[in-house]
Amino acid sequence: MFWSWLHALLFLAVVGYALSLFCRAVYHRCLYMMLGQPADKPFDWKMRTRELVAQAFGHTKLLKDRKSGIMHLVIFYGFIILQFGALDLIYMGFTGGRHLPIPGYPAFALTQEITVMLVLLATGYAAYRRYGEKLKRLKKGWKPAIVLFFISGLMLSVLLSLGFVRVWLGEGASAYAPFSSLIAAVFGGLPAGAAKALFFVAWWAHLIILLSFLVYIPQSKHFHILAAPVNIFLRRREPVGRLRKLDLEDEEAESFGAGRIEDFTRKQMLDFYACVECGRCTNVCPASNTGKALSPMHLIVKLRDHLTEKGAAVTSRSPWQPAFAFPAGGGAHAVTAAETAAPDWRPDNGITDIGPTLAWQKAAWQPAAKKAPQELQLIGDVMTEDEIWACTTCRNCEDQCPVGNEHVDKIVDLRRYLVLMEGSVPHEGQRAMQNIERQGNPWGLSRSDRGKWTGDIDGIPVPTVRENPGFEVLFFVGSMGSYDNRTRKVSRALVRLLNEAGVSFAILGNEERNSGDTPRRMGNEMLFQQLCAENIGTFNKYGVKKIVTACPHTFNTLKNEYPEFGLEGVEVIHHTQLLAELVRGGKLKPVNEMNERITYHDSCYLGRYNGVYEAPRDILRAIRGVELVEMERSRENGMCCGAGGGMMWMEETAGKRVNTARTEQALETKPTMIGSACPYCLTMLEDGTKQKEVEERVKTLDVAEILARAVLGGTAAAVSAVREPITEREA
């Protein structure tokens, strides 16, 4: 009786102590997140619950990498199933080895043992992927292996407990308990007393490992087990990638953007703790893949570390439990090594390689010498400006993240602080924004020249809204389509097609303003809101109801961001959507055969931001003689051309040019033509073919240009893949 009571008291004491440590660790991290800004948004409970169920229980994002997705699925559901076995095992420890009175217990026992073995196999595969296959995106070292030891220890302790209890109670071998029966056979010569003692050793080992794992979870990346479901449930539901509106009229605002960790919202901070450190985001990032300093995974991890360290200092609540087991005080982490050097990119790195960026991040993120967390600058000590300005805002990181993290909004918030509060922008980007502010376009060309591209389109009139007040569709040309000589050809091709299809359209001409996408992604919210207000005012003035544009960046901005600033009742479509509809309806007939092998490049702002993947492909499929071939990275996982996020107007000084890497990926399909549906992509890919010296045999055209050739034949002879240089005056 004494030993029974002692056993029970020890059990309660150990469990109670572990639960108290776990709760304190979670509570303290919640306190740190409360330092952030509130971000209350109304939301639809049913819709969010459906998505949570799909992602958490269906592993929809995790299964994008099928191998690791299946591995995680086995471990995830294995742990759920084994919780019932854990209760049974605890019951055995207090009832002399008797199991729970479960109907059909033999089948239950078989399910438990099979599940244990499956989890062990999945754990072994996880170890192989990290340390055998050595996937670059996965961190190495002893820390990532801790959880593998925890899971393996739990599984082995379960089997040993079940095996020793069979020896203790003298149970024979059973087909319903194959693995524990095997263990019992190995130790069958032990006396009952010894088997009982070994059972309790294994039983207590299982309990201690389980509780240690519980305490470890919130103090490691495995906090995602708790944070990720909440993060997925609370994630923003507005159009993906829509940036947070800044109230620039708020007189009480001390600053704009994120200059301190506390400037992020609590939801953004939840992202930090939801991170799994799986590296999927970095694995697809165009900056990380071409030797830039930015790694989306390390962005989140560094912000998380800084929040934890500063939160502990501000609240005087230790993040580490038990606190006595960790050194008190100490400094903080910062970019202290290689902080001015770029990743070491070499010519033999191949088309893409995340290795140099990961090596730079590992060397750079170190304990700061004699610096308290409160003394660190968010921009400079935690995130370098090189990292902040390397992002193309392509959202491939967010699309791949299995826990719903959003990286782009944090980078833009950091840019906002740099631009609005410190006036710090790379020189080329500053010049582009000044030109947009003064003349409404990034080159600084005259506002009055915006409509000059309409001068020579085989006599086809291009009416303005004043000249055709009864227009059905407003063609929002954009700065690239109005000023860039290469993109003007796309504008003219689209006009020819609209004229051929009998579409009543008009343009704003010199009344059109830059959409504001570039200033907003570069952090100049003030300029964006000014341009936005001017364009909306013009739309309202002329009663615009439907807009078509050939630029995905403009398309996304007008469709998804302008409504928050007052644009109502206006349908915004991309030119590929309109053209695909006209082809389906028979208003455009691609009668001319084109014997071309075409690979289509997905624009990030058309695809990942707006889900338009089929319209451009439908157009190409409708053309006789076209062989459509896909790149290895296409559709949702298509790699960025390198121009988004303002990078179109800035020079790449580190590693390999992103457009070169993307062009090389396109050339792997051995195309005769590269198709695109974005003026930025068209420019970057055409420059890439010139750099690779294949421009004579591999043409780069917009989908509208390709369709114009198929529909109009000789009448579209002016549509060419040769890019006219900007004139000396324009330069």
Side-chain angles (χ1 to χ4, degrees), residues 436-687:
I436 291 172
E437 187 172 4
R438 292 168 183 167
Q439 294 293 345
N441 64 83
W443 301 276
L445 305 177
S446 173
R447 288 180 184 270
S448 61
D449 289 346
R450 186 172 277 272
K452 288 182 70 174
W453 65 272
T454 63
D456 181 22
I457 316 181
D458 301 331
I460 297 174
V462 184
T464 65
V465 287
R466 290 178 181 272
E467 296 164 343
N468 181 22
F471 67 93
E472 295 177 5
V473 179
L474 174 70
F475 175 22
F476 194 98
V477 187
S479 293
M480 287 289 287
S482 299
Y483 290 98
D484 178 66
N485 282 329
R486 175 64 185 90
T487 312
R488 281 175 170 178
K489 294 178 180 179
V490 179
S491 301
R492 291 170 183 146
L494 181 56
V495 165
R496 290 186 177 95
L497 291 168
L498 294 178
N499 180 72
E500 177 72 12
V503 176
S504 175
F505 73 97
I507 64 171
L508 292 174
N510 295 337
E511 292 186 74
E512 183 182 286
R513 296 291 179 264
N514 185 282
S515 70
D517 165 78
T518 290
R520 192 169 214 204
R521 263 65 199 175
M522 291 184 70
N524 195 337
E525 181 76 3
M526 186 175 295
L527 178 55
F528 163 74
Q529 292 193 17
Q530 175 188 331
L531 294 165
C532 177
E534 291 176 2
N535 278 322
I536 290 175
T538 305
F539 297 156
N540 292 337
K541 176 182 176 181
Y542 292 106
V544 174
K545 295 300 179 185
K546 187 172 185 177
I547 298 174
V548 64
T549 179
C551 176
H553 298 260
T554 300
F555 168 58
N556 178 72
T557 302
L558 299 183
K559 179 176 183 286
N560 296 328
E561 300 193 332
Y562 272 36
E564 194 174 12
F565 294 86
L567 182 65
E568 297 178 351
V570 178
E571 180 187 4
V572 183
I573 60 174
H574 188 253
H575 76 307
T576 57
Q577 293 176 303
L578 177 58
L579 294 176
E581 182 182 330
L582 294 173
V583 170
R584 281 194 301 270
K587 294 184 177 180
L588 289 176
K589 298 179 180 179
V591 294
N592 299 296
E593 187 172 345
M594 293 181 64
N595 295 313
E596 301 285 355
R597 180 179 170 91
I598 302 178
T599 186
Y600 173 73
H601 162 79
D602 289 282
S603 159
C604 303
Y605 276 76
L606 185 60
R608 273 187 295 273
Y609 275 79
N610 288 283
V612 179
Y613 296 106
E614 292 307 320
R617 288 176 170 84
D618 287 344
I619 294 170
L620 297 175
R621 292 190 194 102
I623 301 172
R624 288 187 297 126
V626 165
E627 179 187 2
L628 185 60
V629 291
E630 296 286 359
M631 287 180 254
E632 183 177 351
R633 288 188 61 175
S634 63
R635 298 179 184 270
E636 292 88 347
N637 198 35
M639 182 172 162
C640 180
C641 72
M647 293 301 295
M648 178 74 182
W649 317 107
M650 293 187 283
E651 286 299 321
E652 292 182 56
T653 57
K656 182 178 187 175
R657 292 182 64 86
V658 176
N659 71 309
T660 302
R662 186 53 173 166
T663 303
E664 290 173 356
Q665 291 174 348
L667 294 177
E668 284 191 321
T669 67
K670 296 180 172 52
T672 60
M673 189 177 289
I674 300 173
S676 78
C678 169
Y680 289 0
C681 298
L682 184 66
T683 300
M684 300 299 270
L685 292 169
E686 193 167 84
D687 286 349

Side-chain angles (χ1 to χ4, degrees), residues 282-342:
T282 295
N283 201 48
V284 297
C285 173
S288 306
N289 272 272
T290 55
K292 314 302 188 290
L294 175 65
S295 161
M297 175 179 68
H298 289 88
L299 160 77
I300 299 294
V301 169
K302 291 194 291 188
L303 292 174
R304 179 199 68 197
D305 289 352
H306 181 56
L307 172 61
T308 300
E309 291 162 349
K310 190 171 185 180
V314 171
T315 64
S316 299
R317 304 293 182 93
S318 172
W320 313 117
Q321 302 296 326
F324 65 78
F326 297 87
H333 284 79
V335 179
T336 57
E339 54 192 2
T340 58

Side-chain angles (χ1 to χ4, degrees), residues 11-22 24 215 321-324:
F11 173 82
L12 292 174
V14 170
V15 171
Y17 181 57
L19 288 175
S20 69
L21 294 176
F22 169 79
R24 281 203 296 271
V215 174
Q321 302 296 326
F324 65 78

